[in-house]
Amino acid sequence: MLYDVIIIGGGPAGMTAALYAARSGLQAVLVERGALGGQLMKTDWIDNYPGFPEGIGGMELMNNFALQVERFGVNTHYANVEKLELSGDIKRVLTDDGELEGKTVIIATGSEPKQLGIPGEIEFTGAGVSYCAVCDGMFFRGKKVVVLGGGDTALEEAEYLAKIASEVMLIHRRDAFRGAKILADNVKQNDKIKLLLSTKPLAIEGDKKVTSIRLQNLITNIEFTEACDGVFVLVGTKPNSELLIELTLDAQGYVLTDEELASNIPGVFACGDVRKKPLRQVSTAVGDGAIAAMSASHYVTNTDGRA
Ligand code: NAP
């Protein structure tokens, strides 16, 4: 069948686009390679999504989104997208479970954790190195862990890990955190979190599992080793845009859009963390998803009208 809109990615942006598309009467399909929910499934707690005065768990919020999408009858196609042919009037999404055709496509593929690229990182991934505190924190109950990064993710996850680990060492390469002040204040006040600022990771060391991290103080240039059982690498994200070869991307690989969230290809829109934007939050992802769906709806109406 020819869908009005194919939405790729089932995080907050994609699920909101699906919801708005269905409510606009579009024949929509949502393509997701894993579980619905995106990066938020790896987030313990969200304090800044409006409507939940006490905050809400990431998984609970995403399950609610999924139930709402289901209520409006959007079909979810669970498959891995392997190739996109977006330039023609009919857009083709080739997956490992068949091909989908649509009049429009909304890209909501989000982003994934960035790697550091230091020795030991790949070798010890799954053996002490992790990119997700909520997924792997329980393996470090009563143990000493290092958190690398100075953004919102590192600050939030350091606090989360402090509830599980015996000690959390938060290591940041600058002397000031990039993340929100309220989150930085929380970690500074937490007795179980030790801060090491102006310090750069050089290598992750161990035998079968992580046993220590090699560091360098960037003020004195002195190198030293800290013993630890786990290293959480939380140094930002990179866009999932490898397949978007027909779209105009910025130098970091984020999709460039206009204010209707249209890409450079007519009928192709982008929303959420995968597009170039100043603030990546659940609240901005859902706003994006709504705009992208309405833009797709206008495109379908206008092009159908011309046909
Ligand atoms: P981020 O804001 O890009 O921060 C990445 C951090 O990692 C920065 O402090 C950066 O240092 C450091 N870093 C980067 N490369 C490094 C390297 N090679 N070695 C050592 N340190 C390195 O990423 P994020 O914290 O994952 O957040 C991503 C987006 O999600 C942001 O827009 C954030 O606001 C949002 N977010 C929001 C919430 C919330 O509102 N509750 C929670 C999580 C994430 P520098 O500071 O020196 O660059």
Side-chain angles (χ1 to χ4, degrees):
M1 84 175 270
L2 179 62
Y3 287 100
D4 290 321
V5 57
I6 302 171
I7 300 154
I8 305 175
M15 284 201 277
T16 308
L19 189 63
Y20 274 71
R23 286 174 53 91
S24 307
L26 298 181
Q27 281 288 346
V29 61
L30 180 62
V31 185
E32 168 57 51
R33 64 181 167 186
L36 291 178
Q39 291 234 63
L40 264 199
M41 297 302 273
K42 300 176 178 175
T43 304
D44 174 45
W45 196 253
I46 299 149
D47 254 340
N48 58 357
Y49 188 68
F52 297 92
E54 305 303 325
I56 182 167
M59 208 175 273
E60 188 185 353
L61 182 61
M62 285 305 95
N63 286 338
N64 287 345
F65 274 47
L67 288 173
Q68 205 169 355
V69 168
E70 202 179 292
R71 182 159 72 87
F72 287 102
V74 179
N75 176 22
T76 303
H77 185 83
Y78 288 100
N80 193 29
V81 176
E82 292 176 333
K83 193 173 175 217
L84 295 169
E85 294 172 4
L86 301 173
S87 296
D89 285 345
I90 293 180
K91 322 290 179 198
R92 291 194 169 79
V93 175
L94 290 81
T95 78
D96 58 5
D97 187 24
E99 182 182 322
L100 302 168
E101 290 187 337
K103 297 175 189 170
T104 65
V105 168
I106 295 177
I107 308 288
T109 47
S111 57
E112 64 182 31
K114 227 163 62 179
Q115 294 180 339
L116 281 169
I118 59 172
E121 182 181 16
I122 304 285
E123 189 186 341
F124 292 113
T125 293
V129 173
S130 168
Y131 298 85
C132 174
V134 175
C135 318
D136 299 328
M138 63 188 176
F139 298 121
F140 299 93
R141 186 166 298 283
K143 297 188 170 171
K144 177 176 168 182
V145 298
V146 159
V147 171
L148 299 172
D152 287 338
T153 306
L155 294 169
E156 274 189 352
E157 305 303 283
E159 217 192 335
Y160 170 76
L161 286 165
K163 292 181 215 155
I164 303 168
S166 60
E167 185 184 340
V168 176
M169 184 169 278
L170 176 58
I171 301 175
H172 178 37
R173 64 183 175 185
R174 288 189 298 122
D175 64 354
F177 289 114
R178 176 181 294 278
K181 183 176 180 302
I182 185 170
L183 299 177
D185 289 345
N186 287 348
V187 301
K188 285 174 192 164
Q189 283 156 19
N190 192 319
D191 290 342
K192 280 176 83 179
I193 303 176
K194 187 175 163 195
L195 303 182
L196 264 190
L197 301 179
S198 305
T199 300
K200 166 173 133 173
L202 298 176
I204 299 166
E205 301 165 329
D207 180 11
K208 287 195 175 108
K209 286 183 175 174
V210 168
T211 53
S212 62
I213 183 164
R214 186 99 190 124
L215 300 162
Q216 182 179 29
N217 182 305
L218 294 173
I219 296 167
T220 61
N221 283 332
I222 291 172
E223 292 186 19
F224 59 104
T225 300
E226 277 288 337
C228 62
D229 303 296
V231 176
F232 286 83
V233 181
L234 303 171
V235 295
T237 54
K238 62 178 175 102
N240 289 318
S241 58
E242 294 82 5
L243 295 177
L244 308 179
I245 49 178
E246 297 158 282
L247 299 192
T248 306
L249 311 176
D250 75 358
Q252 282 76 45
Y254 291 97
V255 182
L256 298 181
T257 56
D258 65 13
E259 63 178 17
E260 266 93 45
L261 304 194
S263 72
N264 57 306
I265 297 182
V268 179
F269 305 87
C271 59
D273 282 7
V274 74
R275 83 176 182 94
K276 180 175 162 61
K277 60 195 283 190
L279 184 63
R280 294 192 172 84
Q281 302 270 297
V282 193
S283 53
T284 63
V286 302
D288 274 12
I291 294 169
M294 296 322 291
S295 298
S297 173
H298 292 146
Y299 180 89
V300 169
T301 307
N302 292 337
T303 49
D304 280 357
R306 276 208 303 274

